Amino acid sequence: MTSSLTSRPFGTLSTGEQVSAFTLVGEGGLSLQVITYGGIVTHLRAPDRKGSLDDVVLGFDHLAAYLAGHPYFGAITGRIAGRVTGARFTLEGRTYDLARNNPPNHLHGGLVGFDKRIWAAHSVARSDGAPSLRLTYHSPDGEEGYPGSVDVAVTYTVTRDNAFIIESEAVADRATPFGLTHHGYFNLAGESTGSIADHELQIHADEIVAMDENNTLLGQRVAVAGQPNDFNHPRRLGDAVPHLYLQHGDLYLIRRTESTGQPPGLIPVARVAEPRTGRVLTVSTTERFLQFYTGVSLDGTLTGKSNRPYRSHAGFCLECEGYADGANNAAFGDILLRPGQPTRHTTVYSFSTY
């Protein structure tokens, strides 16, 4: 298959801003469509063991459905991915109050986070010829209550060996908390199949961060050994999810070990296998945390690309990120972006079969 990168109109916002869709096709068959609204990956087609392609992410075919509201399907979330406790933080002696858009906390950057912004898009020439698209956004001082201006770039690449690479970088003109993630909802059997129950999940982590009934991070490390949220050995989600706290999934501290064959700092953190299609998703990242989310809050009110409702556990998320409440609790990792100190991270979603 020949690699390619093409674009087309995807719709218009009420402001008159145009939204474009870009399709990246890799030589190995993996392809994705991303729109400039929120950097949302609307489609991700991966081959199964027979070579047949299926769309393996939840989402919509039309802009109107995204504008009507959705649980961050396939979006870039920020300035901070995750929940800021109490929707406030203190930095350099000043307290900043943020939107309580997920009471009592601040979630995924606020009311109009990066997932609802228009990103500029430019193709990137790579030496290996893989299709690559660079998305950029300027976040002004005070946006959603955050201090300082931030220039962000997120680059999507589809390789010949069926890897979806996400590279992010950011610079700021004053200190500000910052951390992105890709919020894709995966279903390796195909987004229309309705359930992730038969997927087998493995997460390379020994600890989680405890949370309460509001999914508020409590700043406490908890060992997973022997517990329902221990995925160090592959487990069928249909068996495991009913025993998870709130059936939600946890924030895992990634076990940082050396990994042969991976670039410095990039290590495998999770593996998911789907037995019917033979698809395997392997996730690697330079980030320190992995949020596993089971899609428990999907309730059938949203209808997806196949005209079927997305019900509870129709898709799962593996969000590689920093510690969202790091501005309030630096013990779990400093997420402050400082002038003259750019931040860079890479996450790779690799697809294969067995």
Side-chain angles (χ1 to χ4, degrees):
M1 181 177 292
T2 303
S3 64
S4 63
L5 193 162
T6 57
S7 65
R8 65 180 180 87
F10 195 76
T12 307
L13 302 185
S14 61
T15 59
E17 294 174 282
Q18 300 295 309
V19 177
S20 297
F22 291 81
T23 300
L24 288 69
V25 179
E27 291 183 9
L30 185 70
S31 68
L32 67 83
Q33 177 178 274
V34 55
I35 58 174
T36 52
Y37 178 77
I40 293 171
V41 175
T42 63
H43 299 71
L44 183 60
R45 294 181 174 87
D48 65 9
R49 62 164 63 97
K50 297 179 180 179
S52 298
L53 296 173
D54 277 311
D55 192 351
V56 296
V57 294
L58 308 192
F60 309 116
D61 279 326
H62 306 290
L63 179 61
Y66 289 105
L67 298 179
H70 64 103
Y72 305 94
F73 285 150
I76 300 169
T77 57
R79 282 189 192 188
I80 298 178
R83 291 173 176 83
V84 178
T85 299
R88 63 169 48 186
F89 64 89
T90 300
L91 177 62
E92 298 176 340
R94 177 178 171 182
T95 297
Y96 293 86
D97 290 305
L98 307 173
R100 292 176 182 262
N101 59 318
N102 186 241
N105 304 311
H106 174 84
L107 177 65
H108 293 330
L111 298 173
V112 187
F114 288 177
D115 62 294
K116 299 177 182 67
R117 303 293 181 178
I118 296 291
W119 294 65
H122 306 278
S123 61
V124 177
R126 287 172 50 106
S127 59
D128 62 0
S132 187
L133 187 73
R134 180 180 174 90
L135 301 168
T136 57
Y137 176 69
H138 174 76
S139 179
D141 180 26
E143 184 174 77
E144 287 298 311
Y146 289 94
S149 298
V150 179
D151 287 298
V152 190
V154 177
T155 302
Y156 293 159
T157 303
V158 176
T159 70
R160 61 169 54 95
D161 56 354
N162 290 339
F164 169 29
I165 303 174
I166 303 172
E167 298 167 289
S168 66
E169 56 186 286
V171 294
D173 62 1
R174 58 186 289 198
T176 188
F178 183 85
L180 304 180
T181 198
H182 173 68
H183 208 291
Y185 286 68
F186 296 94
N187 186 321
L188 300 184
E191 63 87 26
S192 66
T193 58
S195 174
I196 58 171
D198 287 335
H199 290 57
E200 296 176 351
L201 170 66
Q202 183 176 21
I203 297 176
H204 310 303
D206 299 318
E207 296 177 305
I208 62 161
V209 180
M211 65 179 185
D212 68 9
E213 67 276 7
N214 294 311
N215 297 315
T216 303
L217 296 173
L218 300 179
Q220 302 168 3
R221 293 173 180 251
V222 179
V224 301
Q227 300 303 310
N229 52 10
D230 184 354
F231 287 93
N232 275 291
H233 299 285
R235 295 171 61 200
R236 180 178 176 273
L237 289 179
D239 299 328
V241 168
H243 303 286
L244 301 179
Y245 181 58
L246 303 178
Q247 296 190 23
H248 181 278
D250 288 293
L251 182 68
Y252 289 81
L253 288 85
I254 293 170
R255 185 191 307 136
R256 304 299 302 186
T257 59
E258 294 299 322
S259 178
T260 303
Q262 296 284 343
L266 185 67
I267 62 168
V269 296
R271 181 182 185 273
V272 188
E274 201 287 311
R276 183 179 64 81
T277 63
R279 289 190 183 92
V280 176
L281 171 62
T282 302
V283 184
S284 303
T285 190
T286 60
E287 296 279 10
R288 300 184 67 248
F289 291 85
L290 175 72
Q291 176 67 59
F292 167 50
Y293 175 50
T294 67
V296 64
S297 296
L298 298 172
D299 59 7
T301 58
L302 297 175
T303 299
K305 289 167 282 189
S306 300
N307 292 318
R308 296 184 180 182
Y310 290 142
R311 305 190 189 281
S312 188
H313 311 307
F316 65 88
C317 301
L318 293 171
E319 308 161 42
C320 301
E321 58 195 35
Y323 187 64
D325 204 35
N328 292 318
N329 188 346
F332 284 91
D334 184 2
I335 64 167
L336 291 183
L337 181 59
R338 297 177 175 86
Q341 299 178 26
T343 183
R344 296 181 178 87
H345 281 288
T346 301
T347 294
V348 181
Y349 295 96
S350 297
F351 291 85
S352 59
T353 59
Y354 71 100

PDB file of all heavy atoms in Angstrom, residues 46-73:
ATOM      1  N   ALA A  46      -7.471  -0.207  11.343  1.00  0.00           N
ATOM      2  CA  ALA A  46      -6.345  -1.114  11.535  1.00  0.00           C
ATOM      3  C   ALA A  46      -6.680  -2.486  10.973  1.00  0.00           C
ATOM      4  O   ALA A  46      -7.827  -2.934  11.048  1.00  0.00           O
ATOM      5  CB  ALA A  46      -6.011  -1.228  13.022  1.00  0.00           C
ATOM      6  N   PRO A  47      -5.688  -3.183  10.390  1.00  0.00           N
ATOM      7  CA  PRO A  47      -5.941  -4.515   9.838  1.00  0.00           C
ATOM      8  C   PRO A  47      -6.080  -5.576  10.926  1.00  0.00           C
ATOM      9  O   PRO A  47      -5.432  -5.490  11.974  1.00  0.00           O
ATOM     10  CB  PRO A  47      -4.710  -4.774   8.971  1.00  0.00           C
ATOM     11  CG  PRO A  47      -3.634  -3.918   9.556  1.00  0.00           C
ATOM     12  CD  PRO A  47      -4.319  -2.716  10.120  1.00  0.00           C
ATOM     13  N   ASP A  48      -6.937  -6.586  10.658  1.00  0.00           N
ATOM     14  CA  ASP A  48      -7.020  -7.731  11.551  1.00  0.00           C
ATOM     15  C   ASP A  48      -6.099  -8.830  11.036  1.00  0.00           C
ATOM     16  O   ASP A  48      -5.309  -8.617  10.109  1.00  0.00           O
ATOM     17  CB  ASP A  48      -8.463  -8.209  11.700  1.00  0.00           C
ATOM     18  CG  ASP A  48      -9.058  -8.754  10.397  1.00  0.00           C
ATOM     19  OD1 ASP A  48      -8.310  -8.926   9.411  1.00  0.00           O
ATOM     20  OD2 ASP A  48     -10.272  -9.001  10.378  1.00  0.00           O
ATOM     21  N   ARG A  49      -6.205 -10.026  11.634  1.00  0.00           N
ATOM     22  CA  ARG A  49      -5.274 -11.096  11.261  1.00  0.00           C
ATOM     23  C   ARG A  49      -5.448 -11.560   9.808  1.00  0.00           C
ATOM     24  O   ARG A  49      -4.545 -12.159   9.228  1.00  0.00           O
ATOM     25  CB  ARG A  49      -5.421 -12.287  12.212  1.00  0.00           C
ATOM     26  CG  ARG A  49      -6.775 -12.950  12.205  1.00  0.00           C
ATOM     27  CD  ARG A  49      -6.699 -14.332  12.865  1.00  0.00           C
ATOM     28  NE  ARG A  49      -6.325 -14.271  14.258  1.00  0.00           N
ATOM     29  CZ  ARG A  49      -7.184 -14.288  15.279  1.00  0.00           C
ATOM     30  NH1 ARG A  49      -8.499 -14.316  15.036  1.00  0.00           N
ATOM     31  NH2 ARG A  49      -6.777 -14.275  16.518  1.00  0.00           N
ATOM     32  N   LYS A  50      -6.601 -11.251   9.201  1.00  0.00           N
ATOM     33  CA  LYS A  50      -6.842 -11.599   7.806  1.00  0.00           C
ATOM     34  C   LYS A  50      -6.544 -10.443   6.852  1.00  0.00           C
ATOM     35  O   LYS A  50      -6.721 -10.571   5.641  1.00  0.00           O
ATOM     36  CB  LYS A  50      -8.281 -12.051   7.623  1.00  0.00           C
ATOM     37  CG  LYS A  50      -8.644 -13.308   8.391  1.00  0.00           C
ATOM     38  CD  LYS A  50     -10.105 -13.680   8.180  1.00  0.00           C
ATOM     39  CE  LYS A  50     -10.469 -14.947   8.949  1.00  0.00           C
ATOM     40  NZ  LYS A  50     -11.902 -15.308   8.762  1.00  0.00           N
ATOM     41  N   GLY A  51      -6.128  -9.310   7.426  1.00  0.00           N
ATOM     42  CA  GLY A  51      -5.835  -8.145   6.612  1.00  0.00           C
ATOM     43  C   GLY A  51      -7.008  -7.217   6.393  1.00  0.00           C
ATOM     44  O   GLY A  51      -6.866  -6.187   5.723  1.00  0.00           O
ATOM     45  N   SER A  52      -8.180  -7.562   6.952  1.00  0.00           N
ATOM     46  CA  SER A  52      -9.356  -6.711   6.799  1.00  0.00           C
ATOM     47  C   SER A  52      -9.272  -5.512   7.733  1.00  0.00           C
ATOM     48  O   SER A  52      -8.836  -5.632   8.886  1.00  0.00           O
ATOM     49  CB  SER A  52     -10.629  -7.510   7.112  1.00  0.00           C
ATOM     50  OG  SER A  52     -10.778  -8.586   6.209  1.00  0.00           O
ATOM     51  N   LEU A  53      -9.692  -4.348   7.235  1.00  0.00           N
ATOM     52  CA  LEU A  53      -9.611  -3.120   8.000  1.00  0.00           C
ATOM     53  C   LEU A  53     -10.922  -2.842   8.716  1.00  0.00           C
ATOM     54  O   LEU A  53     -12.000  -3.040   8.171  1.00  0.00           O
ATOM     55  CB  LEU A  53      -9.275  -1.941   7.090  1.00  0.00           C
ATOM     56  CG  LEU A  53      -7.902  -1.972   6.400  1.00  0.00           C
ATOM     57  CD1 LEU A  53      -7.793  -0.828   5.404  1.00  0.00           C
ATOM     58  CD2 LEU A  53      -6.790  -1.902   7.429  1.00  0.00           C
ATOM     59  N   ASP A  54     -10.809  -2.393   9.958  1.00  0.00           N
ATOM     60  CA  ASP A  54     -11.958  -1.920  10.725  1.00  0.00           C
ATOM     61  C   ASP A  54     -11.568  -0.639  11.442  1.00  0.00           C
ATOM     62  O   ASP A  54     -10.399  -0.429  11.797  1.00  0.00           O
ATOM     63  CB  ASP A  54     -12.390  -2.947  11.774  1.00  0.00           C
ATOM     64  CG  ASP A  54     -13.294  -4.017  11.201  1.00  0.00           C
ATOM     65  OD1 ASP A  54     -14.270  -3.653  10.514  1.00  0.00           O
ATOM     66  OD2 ASP A  54     -13.020  -5.207  11.445  1.00  0.00           O
ATOM     67  N   ASP A  55     -12.557   0.201  11.654  1.00  0.00           N
ATOM     68  CA  ASP A  55     -12.366   1.413  12.446  1.00  0.00           C
ATOM     69  C   ASP A  55     -12.380   1.018  13.921  1.00  0.00           C
ATOM     70  O   ASP A  55     -13.363   0.454  14.412  1.00  0.00           O
ATOM     71  CB  ASP A  55     -13.497   2.402  12.137  1.00  0.00           C
ATOM     72  CG  ASP A  55     -13.231   3.783  12.687  1.00  0.00           C
ATOM     73  OD1 ASP A  55     -12.266   3.950  13.461  1.00  0.00           O
ATOM     74  OD2 ASP A  55     -14.001   4.704  12.351  1.00  0.00           O
ATOM     75  N   VAL A  56     -11.309   1.309  14.656  1.00  0.00           N
ATOM     76  CA  VAL A  56     -11.159   0.803  16.025  1.00  0.00           C
ATOM     77  C   VAL A  56     -11.239   1.901  17.079  1.00  0.00           C
ATOM     78  O   VAL A  56     -10.820   1.699  18.220  1.00  0.00           O
ATOM     79  CB  VAL A  56      -9.849  -0.003  16.177  1.00  0.00           C
ATOM     80  CG1 VAL A  56      -9.887  -1.242  15.290  1.00  0.00           C
ATOM     81  CG2 VAL A  56      -8.620   0.854  15.872  1.00  0.00           C
ATOM     82  N   VAL A  57     -11.773   3.093  16.718  1.00  0.00           N
ATOM     83  CA  VAL A  57     -11.971   4.149  17.712  1.00  0.00           C
ATOM     84  C   VAL A  57     -13.405   4.672  17.634  1.00  0.00           C
ATOM     85  O   VAL A  57     -14.016   4.719  16.563  1.00  0.00           O
ATOM     86  CB  VAL A  57     -10.983   5.322  17.542  1.00  0.00           C
ATOM     87  CG1 VAL A  57      -9.555   4.872  17.827  1.00  0.00           C
ATOM     88  CG2 VAL A  57     -11.094   5.960  16.164  1.00  0.00           C
ATOM     89  N   LEU A  58     -13.939   5.055  18.774  1.00  0.00           N
ATOM     90  CA  LEU A  58     -15.271   5.633  18.827  1.00  0.00           C
ATOM     91  C   LEU A  58     -15.230   7.071  18.331  1.00  0.00           C
ATOM     92  O   LEU A  58     -14.224   7.770  18.478  1.00  0.00           O
ATOM     93  CB  LEU A  58     -15.825   5.604  20.253  1.00  0.00           C
ATOM     94  CG  LEU A  58     -15.808   4.279  21.020  1.00  0.00           C
ATOM     95  CD1 LEU A  58     -16.651   4.393  22.285  1.00  0.00           C
ATOM     96  CD2 LEU A  58     -16.241   3.115  20.169  1.00  0.00           C
ATOM     97  N   GLY A  59     -16.338   7.513  17.744  1.00  0.00           N
ATOM     98  CA  GLY A  59     -16.404   8.882  17.255  1.00  0.00           C
ATOM     99  C   GLY A  59     -17.582   9.074  16.320  1.00  0.00           C
ATOM    100  O   GLY A  59     -18.493   8.243  16.245  1.00  0.00           O
ATOM    101  N   PHE A  60     -17.530  10.181  15.581  1.00  0.00           N
ATOM    102  CA  PHE A  60     -18.642  10.576  14.714  1.00  0.00           C
ATOM    103  C   PHE A  60     -18.147  10.877  13.303  1.00  0.00           C
ATOM    104  O   PHE A  60     -16.970  11.149  13.085  1.00  0.00           O
ATOM    105  CB  PHE A  60     -19.332  11.830  15.272  1.00  0.00           C
ATOM    106  CG  PHE A  60     -19.718  11.729  16.722  1.00  0.00           C
ATOM    107  CD1 PHE A  60     -19.132  12.572  17.665  1.00  0.00           C
ATOM    108  CD2 PHE A  60     -20.664  10.819  17.157  1.00  0.00           C
ATOM    109  CE1 PHE A  60     -19.486  12.500  18.997  1.00  0.00           C
ATOM    110  CE2 PHE A  60     -21.028  10.733  18.484  1.00  0.00           C
ATOM    111  CZ  PHE A  60     -20.438  11.577  19.415  1.00  0.00           C
ATOM    112  N   ASP A  61     -19.101  10.869  12.367  1.00  0.00           N
ATOM    113  CA  ASP A  61     -18.787  11.204  10.976  1.00  0.00           C
ATOM    114  C   ASP A  61     -18.942  12.684  10.674  1.00  0.00           C
ATOM    115  O   ASP A  61     -18.449  13.153   9.647  1.00  0.00           O
ATOM    116  CB  ASP A  61     -19.700  10.410  10.030  1.00  0.00           C
ATOM    117  CG  ASP A  61     -19.219   8.994   9.807  1.00  0.00           C
ATOM    118  OD1 ASP A  61     -17.991   8.773   9.797  1.00  0.00           O
ATOM    119  OD2 ASP A  61     -20.071   8.102   9.650  1.00  0.00           O
ATOM    120  N   HIS A  62     -19.643  13.421  11.545  1.00  0.00           N
ATOM    121  CA  HIS A  62     -19.992  14.799  11.228  1.00  0.00           C
ATOM    122  C   HIS A  62     -19.598  15.750  12.361  1.00  0.00           C
ATOM    123  O   HIS A  62     -19.681  15.400  13.544  1.00  0.00           O
ATOM    124  CB  HIS A  62     -21.490  14.911  10.945  1.00  0.00           C
ATOM    125  CG  HIS A  62     -21.966  13.966   9.879  1.00  0.00           C
ATOM    126  ND1 HIS A  62     -21.634  14.127   8.550  1.00  0.00           N
ATOM    127  CD2 HIS A  62     -22.724  12.844   9.952  1.00  0.00           C
ATOM    128  CE1 HIS A  62     -22.174  13.156   7.847  1.00  0.00           C
ATOM    129  NE2 HIS A  62     -22.833  12.354   8.675  1.00  0.00           N
ATOM    130  N   LEU A  63     -19.216  16.965  11.977  1.00  0.00           N
ATOM    131  CA  LEU A  63     -18.785  17.970  12.941  1.00  0.00           C
ATOM    132  C   LEU A  63     -19.874  18.297  13.952  1.00  0.00           C
ATOM    133  O   LEU A  63     -19.593  18.501  15.143  1.00  0.00           O
ATOM    134  CB  LEU A  63     -18.343  19.237  12.209  1.00  0.00           C
ATOM    135  CG  LEU A  63     -17.874  20.403  13.072  1.00  0.00           C
ATOM    136  CD1 LEU A  63     -16.649  20.024  13.903  1.00  0.00           C
ATOM    137  CD2 LEU A  63     -17.568  21.623  12.205  1.00  0.00           C
ATOM    138  N   ALA A  64     -21.126  18.343  13.518  1.00  0.00           N
ATOM    139  CA  ALA A  64     -22.217  18.729  14.407  1.00  0.00           C
ATOM    140  C   ALA A  64     -22.283  17.849  15.641  1.00  0.00           C
ATOM    141  O   ALA A  64     -22.596  18.332  16.746  1.00  0.00           O
ATOM    142  CB  ALA A  64     -23.545  18.677  13.656  1.00  0.00           C
ATOM    143  N   ALA A  65     -21.989  16.578  15.486  1.00  0.00           N
ATOM    144  CA  ALA A  65     -22.041  15.667  16.632  1.00  0.00           C
ATOM    145  C   ALA A  65     -20.955  15.994  17.651  1.00  0.00           C
ATOM    146  O   ALA A  65     -21.182  15.898  18.865  1.00  0.00           O
ATOM    147  CB  ALA A  65     -21.906  14.225  16.157  1.00  0.00           C
ATOM    148  N   TYR A  66     -19.785  16.392  17.172  1.00  0.00           N
ATOM    149  CA  TYR A  66     -18.719  16.791  18.105  1.00  0.00           C
ATOM    150  C   TYR A  66     -19.078  18.099  18.804  1.00  0.00           C
ATOM    151  O   TYR A  66     -18.826  18.262  20.005  1.00  0.00           O
ATOM    152  CB  TYR A  66     -17.389  16.924  17.366  1.00  0.00           C
ATOM    153  CG  TYR A  66     -16.798  15.602  16.939  1.00  0.00           C
ATOM    154  CD1 TYR A  66     -16.834  15.198  15.605  1.00  0.00           C
ATOM    155  CD2 TYR A  66     -16.213  14.752  17.869  1.00  0.00           C
ATOM    156  CE1 TYR A  66     -16.290  13.980  15.209  1.00  0.00           C
ATOM    157  CE2 TYR A  66     -15.668  13.534  17.492  1.00  0.00           C
ATOM    158  CZ  TYR A  66     -15.721  13.146  16.155  1.00  0.00           C
ATOM    159  OH  TYR A  66     -15.200  11.930  15.784  1.00  0.00           O
ATOM    160  N   LEU A  67     -19.675  19.030  18.074  1.00  0.00           N
ATOM    161  CA  LEU A  67     -20.033  20.323  18.662  1.00  0.00           C
ATOM    162  C   LEU A  67     -21.159  20.180  19.677  1.00  0.00           C
ATOM    163  O   LEU A  67     -21.275  20.992  20.604  1.00  0.00           O
ATOM    164  CB  LEU A  67     -20.452  21.294  17.557  1.00  0.00           C
ATOM    165  CG  LEU A  67     -19.388  21.637  16.515  1.00  0.00           C
ATOM    166  CD1 LEU A  67     -19.957  22.597  15.473  1.00  0.00           C
ATOM    167  CD2 LEU A  67     -18.147  22.221  17.164  1.00  0.00           C
ATOM    168  N   ALA A  68     -21.981  19.142  19.533  1.00  0.00           N
ATOM    169  CA  ALA A  68     -23.112  18.944  20.441  1.00  0.00           C
ATOM    170  C   ALA A  68     -22.672  18.438  21.811  1.00  0.00           C
ATOM    171  O   ALA A  68     -23.464  18.486  22.757  1.00  0.00           O
ATOM    172  CB  ALA A  68     -24.107  17.966  19.820  1.00  0.00           C
ATOM    173  N   GLY A  69     -21.450  17.973  21.918  1.00  0.00           N
ATOM    174  CA  GLY A  69     -20.931  17.498  23.202  1.00  0.00           C
ATOM    175  C   GLY A  69     -20.639  16.014  23.174  1.00  0.00           C
ATOM    176  O   GLY A  69     -21.424  15.211  22.665  1.00  0.00           O
ATOM    177  N   HIS A  70     -19.496  15.644  23.729  1.00  0.00           N
ATOM    178  CA  HIS A  70     -19.067  14.242  23.749  1.00  0.00           C
ATOM    179  C   HIS A  70     -17.985  14.092  24.809  1.00  0.00           C
ATOM    180  O   HIS A  70     -17.403  15.090  25.270  1.00  0.00           O
ATOM    181  CB  HIS A  70     -18.528  13.832  22.370  1.00  0.00           C
ATOM    182  CG  HIS A  70     -17.297  14.574  21.947  1.00  0.00           C
ATOM    183  ND1 HIS A  70     -16.041  14.027  21.992  1.00  0.00           N
ATOM    184  CD2 HIS A  70     -17.131  15.842  21.478  1.00  0.00           C
ATOM    185  CE1 HIS A  70     -15.157  14.921  21.574  1.00  0.00           C
ATOM    186  NE2 HIS A  70     -15.795  16.023  21.250  1.00  0.00           N
ATOM    187  N   PRO A  71     -17.683  12.873  25.229  1.00  0.00           N
ATOM    188  CA  PRO A  71     -16.700  12.644  26.296  1.00  0.00           C
ATOM    189  C   PRO A  71     -15.259  12.595  25.794  1.00  0.00           C
ATOM    190  O   PRO A  71     -14.527  11.646  26.054  1.00  0.00           O
ATOM    191  CB  PRO A  71     -17.147  11.309  26.886  1.00  0.00           C
ATOM    192  CG  PRO A  71     -17.726  10.582  25.730  1.00  0.00           C
ATOM    193  CD  PRO A  71     -18.386  11.620  24.868  1.00  0.00           C
ATOM    194  N   TYR A  72     -14.867  13.639  25.055  1.00  0.00           N
ATOM    195  CA  TYR A  72     -13.482  13.808  24.603  1.00  0.00           C
ATOM    196  C   TYR A  72     -13.036  12.718  23.619  1.00  0.00           C
ATOM    197  O   TYR A  72     -11.854  12.377  23.557  1.00  0.00           O
ATOM    198  CB  TYR A  72     -12.519  13.869  25.793  1.00  0.00           C
ATOM    199  CG  TYR A  72     -12.873  14.937  26.803  1.00  0.00           C
ATOM    200  CD1 TYR A  72     -13.652  14.626  27.912  1.00  0.00           C
ATOM    201  CD2 TYR A  72     -12.460  16.250  26.645  1.00  0.00           C
ATOM    202  CE1 TYR A  72     -14.004  15.603  28.835  1.00  0.00           C
ATOM    203  CE2 TYR A  72     -12.802  17.236  27.559  1.00  0.00           C
ATOM    204  CZ  TYR A  72     -13.579  16.909  28.658  1.00  0.00           C
ATOM    205  OH  TYR A  72     -13.932  17.873  29.568  1.00  0.00           O
ATOM    206  N   PHE A  73     -13.953  12.192  22.820  1.00  0.00           N
ATOM    207  CA  PHE A  73     -13.589  11.166  21.849  1.00  0.00           C
ATOM    208  C   PHE A  73     -12.393  11.603  21.013  1.00  0.00           C
ATOM    209  O   PHE A  73     -12.452  12.567  20.245  1.00  0.00           O
ATOM    210  CB  PHE A  73     -14.753  10.884  20.886  1.00  0.00           C
ATOM    211  CG  PHE A  73     -15.894  10.089  21.454  1.00  0.00           C
ATOM    212  CD1 PHE A  73     -17.183  10.282  20.981  1.00  0.00           C
ATOM    213  CD2 PHE A  73     -15.693   9.129  22.435  1.00  0.00           C
ATOM    214  CE1 PHE A  73     -18.248   9.540  21.478  1.00  0.00           C
ATOM    215  CE2 PHE A  73     -16.745   8.387  22.949  1.00  0.00           C
ATOM    216  CZ  PHE A  73     -18.019   8.589  22.469  1.00  0.00           C
TER     217      PHE A  73
END
